[in-house]
Structures are given as C-alpha cells and as structure tokens.
Amino acid sequence: NEYKSYLRKMDVFAELFQRYGALPFLAMNGSLQILHALLRPLVTNKEVGLVETVFVHPVRALPPVAVKEWPVAIGDGFVGDKRLCILEETGLRLKHKNTKSVDLYKVKVALQGDSPKSKIVLSYNGKDDLVIDPKSYDKRTSPIEEHDAKYVYVGDKESQWLSDIVGRKVRLMFCPYSLSDGSDNIPSGKDNVHILGIPTLDDFREFTNKRVEVDRFRPNITSTHHKSLDELRKWKRIRIGTVELEVDHGTERCLITCLTNGGLWDPDVFESLKRWAPRDPKSNKPLMGSYFKVLKPGIIRKGDVIVLMQ
C-alpha cells in the first residue's frame, strides 16, 4: 500500500512538471504548501482506531448484547438491529423517556449465537425465560400498519410476557425495515451504524465524575486508540475489516441517557451532557458519537482496525 501510494504521488509530480514545466521555480517561491494541499487527498488508509466492542440490539428499548462479530448490509446497517420493538396500544413505539417502564431495562437479553438468525433469550426475575425464534415471524407476509409504519405481530405469548413487566398491554412487533431514531413512527431507509469512541465517553465521565455506562448511548460499535470526539469531528469515510462506512450525522442525545443499566433513573447525566457536549447547529441538541451509512457490506469484528479513508 505504501508503494502504491508513492507511485500515485510520483504520477502527480510528473503531471505537474509536464503541464507547467516550472515546478522547481514554483517550489522556491513557497508553493510547496500548494503542492502539499494537492497531495493530501491521496494520503489515505491511515489507521485511526480499533473496534473495542460490537453491540446489537435485538429488541428496541431493551439492553444491548455484546457479540464477537456481526454482519453489516447496505440498506440494513447492522442486520436485524432494533427490528423487534414494543408498541403501546396507541400504536406508537414504547420509549423509556415517555414512560415509567424502567423495569424493562432490568430485562436481560442474550443471543444463542452471533447471527441475526440466532434465537433471542429474554430473562427477568420471577419469570420463565422467553425464547424468541426469528424464523417464527420474519417470513410472514401480512404486516400490520400503525402510524404509517408496517409491523409483523410476533405473538400473544411474547407480548403478554412483556405486558406483565410493563404493567399494561403492549405488543411485541417485528419491523421489516429500519426505523429512524428521531421519530416515533417515521420509517427511514438509512442504513446507519452507530459508533461511539471510548475516549469520548471517558472524557465525559471525567467531566461528570460518574461511572456512566456505555449502553446508555446505544452504540453498535465502541472504538479505542484515538482522541476524544474523533468519531464525531474527523471521521468522514472509514473502513472496518472489509466494511466501508461514510459519516451520515452526529448522534443527537436525549433523556434516555439518564437510564442506568439496571433501570435506575439519573437525570443529572443528561444535564451534564448538555453542558459538556458539542451541539447540533440546527436542533441545538448535544452530540455524542456518530451514525455512519454503509457503502460496502461485510462483517465487523471485535478487534478490527479502523482505517481512515477520507
């Protein structure tokens, strides 16, 4: 790669010399800076970090699961991520920030494998484990429409299991396509992969003087061996393994960051985040982490090198 990069640079030199013929004279007049600016876009494939943890969220609004690897697809992002969701009787998705159902975050989530086809196991104190088999619902062809979004009903048993915990009737649904995080009901075609840097989180922890758990921020990937906020400010296009990603937008944060692992509510975290984090210029909401769209699919693994392409 270094040799190919060197050859590309030599081609640029040759073209400039052939076209202008005065390269030595220009260089003596300080235009090396101009030449450096021309060559800079060619300096790619710089290692800028490592994947520390890979997370998938089998059920939206429930805790994530750390996995060794996970497939990423164009039009899908992390395959199956947050495709199961809990609907209120109103047809809107259940959200912790709008309810008192923090007991849901005491549910333990596990996968019987590292694949989107793996069975999902939900555990809660005093209840028998609930095993959800993706094969039981992902091939059904009769979706239910709720607030302009289409869902497949998973089943009575699964819905009742969750209703017992919430304390009211809810339904467990499967959505055949990605839903945006910014709205209760608007479908999104974006195939976003959510990345949060551990150095960024560590800086925030130091600011708050609290042990803030990473799963409050719902990332798909946590990254290390880079500077704080690099994933938000500097990474435009990156490669992880064979997967290529391009930044889509910074992650706007909300009250869900107040929910601790175990279902405790700590409002000071979001207030601290508003004082510490950079703000989105349009919404003025605090930003922490970034969403990336998929340019080239593949598998992302724990320990993969993150390469800056642009």
Side-chain angles (χ1 to χ4, degrees), residues 2-295:
E2 291 181 1
Y3 180 66
K4 289 180 181 178
S5 177
Y6 171 77
L7 290 179
R8 287 198 300 268
K9 292 178 183 179
M10 291 302 101
D11 288 342
V12 172
F13 273 110
E15 183 180 348
L16 288 172
F17 193 88
Q18 183 178 8
R19 182 174 298 180
Y20 301 108
L23 185 61
F25 175 80
L26 292 173
M28 286 187 295
N29 283 274
S31 63
L32 281 175
Q33 293 181 355
I34 299 175
L35 185 61
H36 176 70
L38 291 171
L39 292 175
R40 185 184 297 175
L42 298 177
V43 182
T44 57
N45 298 330
K46 178 182 177 182
E47 295 182 4
V48 292
L50 294 174
V51 174
E52 181 185 70
T53 311
V54 179
F55 289 106
V56 66
H57 305 77
V59 184
R60 185 184 289 267
L62 295 187
V65 179
V67 294
K68 295 179 181 178
E69 62 182 38
W70 202 259
V72 176
I74 295 175
D76 203 14
F78 259 54
V79 177
D81 190 59
K82 298 179 182 177
R83 290 301 177 83
L84 286 174
C85 56
I86 303 167
L87 292 193
E88 301 272 15
E89 287 191 283
T90 60
L92 295 179
R93 299 201 312 270
L94 183 148
K95 288 192 173 183
H96 290 298
K97 63 181 180 180
N98 297 331
T99 72
K100 296 181 179 180
S101 303
V102 293
D103 279 349
L104 273 178
Y105 215 67
K106 297 177 183 179
V107 174
K108 295 181 179 179
V109 185
L111 288 172
Q112 295 180 346
D114 288 338
S115 162
K117 298 297 184 182
S118 300
K119 292 181 179 180
I120 304 163
V121 182
L122 305 184
S123 304
Y124 187 81
N125 288 337
K127 292 182 67 67
D128 293 335
D129 289 354
L130 176 65
V131 180
I132 305 170
D133 186 353
K135 295 179 182 178
S136 67
Y137 55 79
D138 63 1
K139 293 183 179 180
R140 295 183 185 178
T141 57
S142 301
I144 301 169
E145 188 164 325
E146 294 281 6
H147 293 272
D148 298 324
K150 293 182 178 179
Y151 302 92
V152 173
Y153 183 56
V154 175
D156 293 340
K157 175 184 176 182
E158 294 84 356
S159 297
Q160 187 60 52
W161 194 92
L162 292 165
S163 297
D164 292 343
I165 297 173
V166 177
R168 61 183 180 277
K169 185 178 180 180
V170 295
R171 291 173 291 167
L172 182 62
M173 311 293 279
F174 168 74
C175 186
Y177 48 80
S178 296
L179 290 171
S180 67
D181 282 324
S183 169
D184 282 327
N185 51 42
I186 300 176
S188 171
K190 294 180 179 178
D191 47 355
N192 292 326
V193 173
H194 186 198
I195 300 179
L196 174 64
I198 293 300
T200 304
L201 180 58
D202 285 343
D203 267 10
F204 179 59
R205 286 167 172 163
E206 184 176 351
F207 177 82
T208 61
N209 196 28
K210 290 186 176 183
R211 183 185 178 277
V212 182
E213 301 91 341
V214 67
D215 51 349
R216 293 185 192 222
F217 301 94
R218 312 304 195 266
N220 294 123
I221 296 169
T222 58
S223 55
T224 60
H225 293 75
H226 60 82
K227 294 182 180 179
S228 176
L229 296 173
D230 274 1
E231 74 280 12
L232 176 64
R233 292 174 169 167
K234 294 186 176 181
W235 296 357
K236 305 302 180 185
R237 184 172 176 176
I238 59 175
R239 184 175 67 248
I240 305 176
T242 60
V243 175
E244 294 184 11
L245 306 170
E246 184 177 62
V247 69
D248 190 85
H249 61 280
T251 310
E252 295 182 355
R253 295 302 175 177
C254 63
L255 287 172
I256 195 63
T257 55
C258 298
L259 187 62
T260 68
N261 186 9
L264 299 178
W265 193 262
D266 183 3
D268 183 61
V269 172
F270 185 58
E271 293 302 317
S272 297
L273 193 60
K274 289 192 290 185
R275 295 194 302 270
W276 176 84
R279 297 294 187 100
D280 181 88
K282 293 183 179 180
S283 68
N284 200 37
K285 291 183 179 180
L287 300 174
M288 192 169 173
S290 287
Y291 280 102
F292 291 77
K293 59 184 178 183
V294 181
L295 300 180

